[in-house]
Amino acid sequence: MGAPASEGSPGSQPESALWWSAVTGTLATACLGLLASVLGADDMTVGRSVGMIVILTICGVGLAAGSRRLLDHTSAGYGLGPLAAGFALAAVPGFVAVGFYPGLVYFRGFDALIVPLGIVSGGVALVAVVGPALRQANVATLPGLLRARFGKLVGLPAAIVALLAMLALVCVLLEIIVPIIARAFDVPVTTAVLSFCGLMIVLTLAGGIRSAAWTGVVAMILALSLFLGTVSAATFVILGNPVAAIAYGVALPEIEAREVALIEQGRVDFGVFTAFQKAFLTVDMQNWAALALVLAAALAVLPSQATFLQTVRNSAQSRRAAAHGLLVLVVLFTTVPAAAALMRLELYRAVERAERVADLPDWVIRASARDGLRVEGVSLAMIATVAEALAEGTQRTRLNAALGASDPHLERAWTALAPEVQESVVAVAARLATARNSSGDLAALDAQRLAEAVAPTLDANEPLGFGSLTLTPDAFVLALPAAIGAPSAMQGLIAAVVMCLALAAGLALTATSGLIVSRDIVGWDGRASRSEGIYVARQRFASVAVVVCAGLIVGMTDLPQEIVLVGGVSLLAAGLFPTSVLSIWWPRATAAGCLAGMMTGLALTVYYLVGTTLYPVTFYEQWSWVSSAGAEAFAEFEEAKQIWMASEGAERTQAYFELAGRATGSLWSPGLANWIGIAPAAAGLIGMIAGCVVAVLVSLLVPGQRGSRRANKVKRDDEAGVDLKRTAGDPGQAATQT
Amino acid sequence: MQLAEIIAGAMLLAIAVILPTGLADRIVPFSAFGLGTALIMAMLGAVMLAHGLVSRRLAGLAHDQDAVCGLRARARVLWTLFVSTGVVIAVPYLTGPLNLITVAGFPLGYFMAAQGALLLLTIIAFRAARRLDTIDFETGVKMHPLAEEP
């Protein structure tokens, strides 16, 4: 037996020291934040400084977990322990829970509850199937497991699918976190992308999976203490109840009563308004369940999750780690939506109290100054950016570019404004620019300036409507402390916690991607003649390449975030889930069956996604017999088609748009072009079911391939020099042999 | 008996596959079958089929204790996945009726989607982990084929 894994690797910090530094670092930053709050540090500079200290803490722990050993880079030295592995495992879904989910609940109400149900259900599959299997088989990645059992024929496509899906998820993560960093720390978007990617690269280089795991541990401790603390404080301030999970239920009747009052007063715009409690407004019942299942399947086979579950000593610990991670997630997911409910309630109250823009409460103005909240599409941050651009001599026609350089979201909001509002904003900004003080600083922005800027769109005789106020989803978490009147120091702290979670999630995804590239795509030969350093270098290079690719994609392209997210999740659900689960659970699964299942699932998913979104007319014509639309809809479609065929010139184009409009739905809700009413975003479900059926049928029909399983195992054992049976429960031995 | 269960399960599954295509509407005079009905029938069919197959296999393997334990572990995993899938599917379909009841401010359907189902799934996960650990510990048999082989 080698040295016990819990003692850490030679030359690196032991696990106990990392635990202590994680806990004390969190406590120290929490105390610092509270001290700043108590001292009334309302200056944003203090908030940013506190935020920077939190980020430095997590980076410190990540660097301390650094190591040059191969086993640390691939499996964190098998020394993580079930609790730490559970925390690390929860980092990716934890970021979803804190950085993305509250905004989704605020905007979609009940329909957003798909996310926690899908993720937690996927966690159950991790506990029961995927996690222990990796540990038992002693492989580092999920594609590696498939490769070990079926050879390269299945392992390579699985690795490519996993890599593409994780790259998509890293891109989405960057899209979400970059605006938050830019707003919280008042830096341009490019600087935010570069600094975040830079941190990811440094920490991945330091310790690979070990650094990613310990960063995740600290991030989750921060989220559980600071973020939940803030939500609890908010529920106490607003509702007098510090238990957020219960306060959530208490807030619901109040929200409903206020919604009814606002509707009766005619102060909501039904074009954009969604009632908070009303179910299935954006997604129907069937697609609600389908999307939750797709999300569950994707999380169950997300390679980073599986990789963290093999950082413990045996399969029992692996199950316990997954269960602990699940428990932590459930705590977050049951508590965090309270923040969204409270924000709705506070905004309703603000609209009720304020008849005019100038009467809006201070927290709305503070949130608007960070572009967290817009009134009629205009925020104080937008006015300030325009004023700065004008002060620097930018011409009126080049304001778009100036806003885009500062924040692409601002540019989009600016472009969407009516020309008279743009003129009004420019007029207010020009006055601000000319009234700068001697050191060149702009005068303080207040509600009056906002009221002047949006004056052309608001009727002076009508009271302010709820539809006039738009909370920007990416800045939702920044607006929460402002809503409860917390000092600016808390805003910096909360932004830092979200950034830490994003960093941990990004590290988990990129470190695992590096592992997959270096082990499952480029190939792992395990030759004794090569030193560990070569494999570590290869993994480091691959991780850096993934970060750079994601950074370039986000920085240079303008991909729609939700399509990238749906693409990544569908790839995992349709491509990896059936194959992985069958390979673990079913001894009779064969290489041919798994490959056929994977390809069928992927092909069907891509076909359905592309067909229903890009070619809906052709799709509906081909598959009208399985569409959920009835005969009446078909007759109307045929009528529109006849009109299109009969018309010519510009009318023909118009007629085609009308025809396509009938067949096309949204990503979340199907149009006429569908199979049994499945929305394009849930295409993964079709691929999943088809992949499973095909894999089972082909495995039964091609029994000769089953014999290859043992041959592959023997080959792999020879190559890697690892006796699976002997080392399955003995990490120390695995460490020495690898 | 086991054979009858297998046949009944397979038939239910087949009907569940046919239902969404709309073919049943041509045979049955009323079209009351939605995807929900099909899913419920598919799940019922899958349970019957799986139970029948496992029972039949267990009866045939009575002399081989290792194989019986491996099968028990696989059956436990299947059951866990089945129950968690069932919870995910049931939550949206039961939201309407459950919302008629209010508990601690929450409409019950809303509570189930936001908190109740999550707690239920966590209990299922812990229970599954414990059972599978017990099977591992008692028998030393690993579920994964790579770990099973000598």
Side-chain angles (χ1 to χ4, degrees):
Chain A
M1 279 218 17
S6 59
E7 284 179 12
S9 329
S12 63
Q13 294 293 324
E15 264 60 32
S16 54
L18 291 170
W19 259 121
W20 276 111
S21 51
V23 174
T24 49
T26 307
L27 284 176
T29 48
C31 291
L32 195 69
L34 287 175
L35 188 68
S37 307
V38 169
L39 292 175
D42 238 1
D43 184 0
M44 268 313 284
T45 317
V46 178
R48 283 178 203 134
S49 311
V50 173
M52 285 307 295
I53 292 170
V54 175
I55 293 161
L56 287 176
T57 306
I58 196 169
C59 290
V61 176
L63 288 172
S67 161
R68 271 181 252 164
R69 279 210 324 162
L70 179 62
L71 203 61
D72 286 334
H73 275 262
T74 56
S75 312
Y78 296 122
L80 222 51
L83 190 62
F87 273 47
L89 168 82
V92 176
F95 170 68
V96 176
V98 170
F100 179 66
Y101 180 52
L104 203 64
V105 175
Y106 175 85
F107 287 102
R108 304 284 176 204
F110 178 90
D111 294 351
L113 302 177
I114 294 168
V115 174
L117 198 60
I119 286 179
V120 173
S121 178
V124 177
L126 265 177
V127 172
V129 198
V130 183
L134 249 72
R135 193 64 202 84
Q136 282 175 10
N138 207 19
V139 247
T141 63
L142 203 55
L145 188 74
L146 291 171
R147 190 176 171 215
R149 186 168 170 197
F150 300 118
K152 255 191 171 178
L153 187 69
V154 179
L156 188 63
I160 293 170
V161 168
L163 184 68
L164 287 176
M166 295 220 290
L167 188 63
L169 295 183
V170 176
C171 289
V172 174
L173 184 138
L174 284 176
E175 289 270 7
I176 294 173
I177 194 64
V178 162
I180 296 179
I181 299 172
R183 280 168 190 166
F185 295 98
D186 204 14
V187 290
V189 170
T190 322
T191 313
V193 173
L194 288 175
S195 54
F196 190 78
C197 288
L199 278 182
M200 280 209 287
I201 288 174
V202 169
L203 292 177
T204 315
L205 289 176
I209 293 292
R210 194 167 189 248
S211 284
W214 281 103
T215 313
V217 173
V218 185
M220 285 312 293
I221 296 174
L222 282 167
L224 287 174
S225 54
L226 296 183
F227 192 81
L228 289 193
T230 308
V231 175
S232 299
T235 56
F236 183 70
V237 169
I238 295 170
L239 296 168
N241 185 348
V243 186
I246 297 172
Y248 185 18
V250 175
L252 289 177
E254 276 208 52
I255 290 173
E256 196 172 24
R258 284 189 156 79
E259 274 175 359
V260 171
L262 286 171
I263 291 169
E264 282 171 354
Q265 292 163 17
R267 294 171 78 176
V268 295
D269 174 3
F270 282 106
V272 289
F273 176 74
T274 48
F276 193 71
Q277 282 190 53
K278 183 82 180 151
F280 314 121
L281 283 175
T282 43
V283 184
D284 63 64
M285 209 181 278
Q286 172 188 315
N287 281 305
W288 203 99
L291 285 166
L293 286 177
V294 170
L295 198 55
L299 188 94
V301 294
L302 184 61
S304 59
Q305 310 299 91
T307 296
F308 280 139
L309 283 179
Q310 60 88 46
T311 56
V312 290
R313 291 177 69 81
N314 53 45
S315 56
Q317 283 198 352
S318 170
R319 282 191 200 103
R320 230 177 301 155
H324 286 150
L326 202 61
L327 191 63
V328 170
L329 282 176
V330 168
V331 169
L332 276 181
F333 275 122
T334 49
T335 313
V336 166
L342 293 176
M343 193 60 92
R344 271 262 179 164
L345 190 58
E346 276 304 283
L347 218 53
Y348 287 154
R349 284 178 178 172
V351 174
E352 266 182 6
R353 285 178 202 146
E355 290 278 311
R356 306 279 173 269
V357 175
D359 304 333
L360 282 170
D362 184 47
W363 76 266
V364 172
I365 302 306
R366 281 165 63 188
S368 182
R370 312 239 59 82
D371 197 37
L373 194 142
R374 295 181 191 139
V375 181
E376 292 291 333
V378 178
S379 66
L380 286 175
M382 183 189 283
I383 298 174
T385 313
V386 172
E388 276 165 14
L390 292 175
E392 286 166 10
T394 309
Q395 289 180 348
R396 166 73 180 81
T397 48
R398 297 190 58 79
L399 277 177
N400 270 25
L403 283 159
S406 166
D407 182 351
H409 292 79
L410 271 184
E411 186 193 4
R412 266 176 240 145
W414 173 258
T415 316
L417 289 179
E420 63 271 20
V421 184
Q422 285 188 351
E423 287 308 320
S424 173
V425 171
V426 170
V428 174
R431 282 204 298 279
L432 274 173
T434 47
R436 281 180 304 161
N437 63 17
S438 54
S439 52
D441 295 333
L442 295 174
L445 292 162
D446 54 16
Q448 192 55 44
R449 308 271 185 192
L450 199 56
E452 285 170 25
V454 297
T457 53
L458 288 177
D459 187 344
N461 300 318
E462 289 287 322
L464 186 67
F466 179 67
S468 301
L469 303 183
T470 329
L471 208 61
T472 46
D474 42 4
F476 182 89
V477 286
L478 301 182
L480 182 68
I484 58 167
S488 298
M490 282 302 285
Q491 285 186 50
L493 208 58
I494 291 300
V497 171
V498 178
M499 192 178 157
C500 289
L501 273 171
L503 190 61
L507 270 176
L509 292 171
T510 49
T512 315
S513 302
L515 197 56
I516 288 173
V517 172
S518 62
R519 289 217 155 197
D520 306 319
I521 293 181
V522 176
W524 165 258
D525 52 21
R527 264 188 264 158
S529 56
R530 288 192 178 162
S531 70
E532 277 193 8
I534 290 175
Y535 293 111
V536 172
R538 202 190 268 183
Q539 190 182 330
R540 282 173 166 166
F541 179 76
S543 302
V544 171
V546 171
V547 177
V548 172
C549 276
L552 286 175
I553 291 170
V554 171
M556 298 175 76
T557 61
D558 199 14
L559 287 174
Q561 190 179 312
E562 54 183 24
I563 290 182
V564 179
L565 180 65
V566 165
V569 168
S570 301
L571 273 179
L572 287 171
L576 272 188
F577 184 78
T579 314
S580 305
V581 170
L582 281 178
S583 81
I584 293 165
W585 181 80
W586 198 36
R588 291 182 69 181
T590 64
C594 285
L595 187 66
M598 190 193 300
M599 291 304 151
T600 310
L602 285 174
L604 264 183
T605 304
V606 172
Y607 174 72
Y608 192 75
L609 256 175
V610 172
T612 50
T613 49
L614 296 182
Y615 307 102
V617 176
T618 322
F619 190 91
Y620 181 58
E621 280 175 338
Q622 277 180 350
W623 299 101
S624 56
W625 60 283
V626 276
S627 168
S628 62
E632 213 170 289
F634 183 72
E636 283 176 13
F637 177 83
E638 282 296 312
E639 198 180 315
K641 192 178 162 190
Q642 294 303 325
I643 295 171
W644 168 57
M645 290 174 84
S647 54
E648 285 179 0
E651 277 182 15
R652 191 178 168 83
T653 316
Q654 182 63 28
Y656 184 77
F657 276 125
E658 275 179 28
L659 183 69
R662 281 173 192 276
T664 321
S666 72
L667 205 55
W668 312 102
S669 175
L672 293 180
N674 69 64
W675 286 344
I676 56 168
I678 297 286
L685 184 69
I686 296 171
M688 219 161 82
I689 295 170
C692 222
V693 171
V694 169
V696 169
L697 288 179
V698 176
S699 293
L700 290 173
L701 291 173
V702 194
Q705 290 294 313
R706 256 181 269 149
S708 64
R709 192 179 79 197
R710 182 159 174 74
N712 282 329
K713 176 180 173 291
V714 172
K715 187 179 161 199
R716 181 179 160 277
D717 287 358
D718 289 342
E719 283 176 353
V722 177
D723 183 339
L724 290 175
K725 185 66 183 173
R726 276 192 295 124
T727 55
D730 185 354
Q733 195 169 350
T736 43
Q737 291 195 8
T738 310
Chain B
M1 186 63 195
Q2 289 146 358
L3 193 64
E5 197 179 6
I6 293 170
I7 293 170
M11 282 176 69
L12 270 176
L13 261 179
I15 294 169
V17 172
I18 293 167
L19 276 182
T21 61
L23 287 175
D25 296 348
R26 293 177 195 172
I27 305 163
V28 187
F30 53 92
S31 61
F33 299 117
L35 195 68
T37 319
L39 282 171
I40 291 168
M41 289 182 84
M43 289 171 78
L44 200 65
V47 169
M48 288 176 74
L49 189 65
H51 188 259
L53 286 171
V54 169
S55 308
R56 203 176 153 82
R57 190 84 195 277
L58 279 174
L61 292 172
H63 58 281
D64 187 349
Q65 201 53 36
D66 276 4
V68 169
C69 291
L71 205 59
R72 263 178 64 205
R74 265 186 278 281
R76 169 61 53 187
V77 168
L78 185 67
W79 177 245
T80 307
L81 289 183
F82 175 76
V83 173
S84 60
T85 310
V87 170
V88 172
I89 292 171
V91 163
Y93 286 94
L94 294 178
T95 298
L98 289 179
N99 270 348
L100 299 173
I101 307 163
T102 303
V103 178
F106 276 107
L108 192 55
Y110 194 103
F111 168 77
M112 281 308 291
Q115 295 179 351
L118 308 188
L119 296 172
L120 194 64
L121 286 169
T122 313
I123 294 168
I124 290 169
F126 271 93
R127 204 176 143 79
R130 203 171 158 186
R131 286 292 178 93
L132 288 168
D133 280 354
T134 312
I135 292 172
D136 272 7
F137 180 75
E138 280 175 357
T139 64
V141 173
K142 304 280 183 272
M143 191 185 68
H144 191 265
L146 285 181
E148 270 182 8
E149 288 178 354

